[in-house]
Amino acid sequence: MNILLVDDHIGVAQGTKAILERRGTMEVTLLSCSGQVMEHLQNQHQPYDLILLDLYMPELNGMELAKLILDDNPEARIIIYTGFEIATHFNMMVNIGICGFISKSLPEEQMVKAIECAIQGDTLIPTYLFKQLRRQEISISEQDIEDVPEPLRDITLNEREQDILMGVAEGLTNRELSAKMLISQRAVEYVLTGVYNKLGVKSRTEALIKAKRYSLLSVSMLQ
């Protein structure tokens, strides 16, 4: 099984490569620069069985890179490989087409089994996250906001509001949005509060659902 691992943390990546190749059934190619991945994949004669992407990388983060890869090859199997909490990014992962995520802190045996399952076509969602998302689905579903009292079709979002909401759709945190847009984190929070008030919502998930439903954001950017 041929695997591509993209992680700018060289020591961690080399450790993971060693773990996976120890079984003798996997061959791992390691790239530390996310900006080199697309060129590397285009030069490959044989597609990888699985691609592991670190979530936070300096040039392209794992979500951005996954979208580029899947736009070019929808059949690619991609897993986000991270040491950070992933729950806030889950909906965006599903929309992009990522087949799951695994934690860098997994024991060796579990990591190998998880990757083998992904290659076989299974989607990887840890039990704790599945339960958490199920609760969110119950409390924040599209049906809950099906009959909205306010005339949202008359609401518009300015350019700054749209840019920040698109960053939210990409799974960026307020701190990441602040760095990307070169504004303070407080300014990001202020804009998001204004968006929530306009849409009559209380969370990022609700804001994205309503913005998409009423075409307040470009559909092509949300795909």
Side-chain angles (χ1 to χ4, degrees):
M1 294 177 283
N2 292 317
I3 298 172
L4 174 64
L5 172 58
V6 184
D7 191 342
D8 63 316
H9 298 91
I10 303 299
V12 175
Q14 289 177 337
T16 302
K17 174 180 169 69
I19 288 173
L20 297 180
E21 291 186 337
R22 191 175 299 159
R23 302 304 178 95
T25 60
M26 301 180 188
E27 182 177 343
V28 181
T29 299
L30 176 60
L31 291 180
S32 60
C33 178
S34 58
Q36 298 175 349
V37 173
M38 294 307 296
E39 181 179 357
H40 173 81
L41 291 175
Q42 289 168 1
N43 291 330
Q44 286 293 114
H45 298 296
Q46 185 73 19
Y48 287 99
D49 297 300
L50 186 72
I51 301 174
L52 289 173
L53 301 179
D54 185 25
L55 180 57
Y56 296 112
M57 294 182 285
E59 191 165 344
L60 288 170
N61 66 43
M63 308 291 271
E64 294 169 331
L65 183 54
K67 189 175 189 310
L68 289 176
I69 294 172
L70 289 166
D71 283 346
D72 187 63
N73 177 18
E75 301 302 317
R77 297 198 62 79
I78 299 175
I79 289 180
I80 293 295
Y81 175 59
T82 179
F84 293 92
E85 176 58 55
I86 199 74
T88 56
H89 303 287
F90 182 78
N91 288 339
M92 189 61 184
M93 285 172 48
V94 173
N95 291 337
I96 290 175
I98 294 170
C99 62
F101 86 95
I102 58 176
S103 172
K104 292 183 178 181
S105 62
L106 275 181
E108 177 177 334
E109 188 69 26
Q110 291 184 31
M111 182 184 298
V112 172
K113 285 184 177 180
I115 290 175
E116 288 175 343
C117 287
I119 291 175
Q120 292 168 8
D122 293 331
T123 298
L124 305 176
I125 307 175
T127 302
Y128 84 89
L129 179 57
F130 179 80
K131 292 179 178 178
Q132 178 181 339
L133 291 167
R134 179 57 184 162
R135 289 196 298 271
Q136 291 176 353
E137 180 184 346
I138 293 172
S139 60
I140 307 173
S141 65
E142 292 199 39
Q143 186 175 359
D144 290 335
I145 57 175
E146 192 69 41
D147 298 319
V148 290
E150 68 274 22
L152 280 181
R153 295 184 187 278
D154 297 330
I155 291 178
T156 59
L157 300 178
N158 61 40
E159 184 175 353
R160 173 61 58 84
E161 291 170 334
Q162 291 189 52
D163 288 343
I164 287 183
L165 201 52
M166 284 311 310
V168 170
E170 294 170 5
L172 301 181
T173 64
N174 288 355
R175 179 178 296 180
E176 291 168 334
L177 282 166
S178 171
K180 180 178 181 179
M181 302 187 68
L182 302 179
I183 60 177
S184 69
Q185 190 169 329
R186 184 177 295 274
V188 172
E189 295 167 353
Y190 178 82
V191 174
L192 277 174
T193 298
V195 171
Y196 294 172
N197 290 338
K198 279 186 177 183
L199 301 179
V201 299
K202 297 180 180 180
S203 73
R204 289 175 164 223
T205 301
E206 289 178 298
L208 289 174
I209 290 173
K210 281 194 173 182
K212 184 176 180 180
R213 174 177 296 170
Y214 291 97
S215 301
L216 299 178
L217 297 174
S218 170
V219 174
S220 62
M221 296 178 73
L222 287 171
Q223 291 177 341

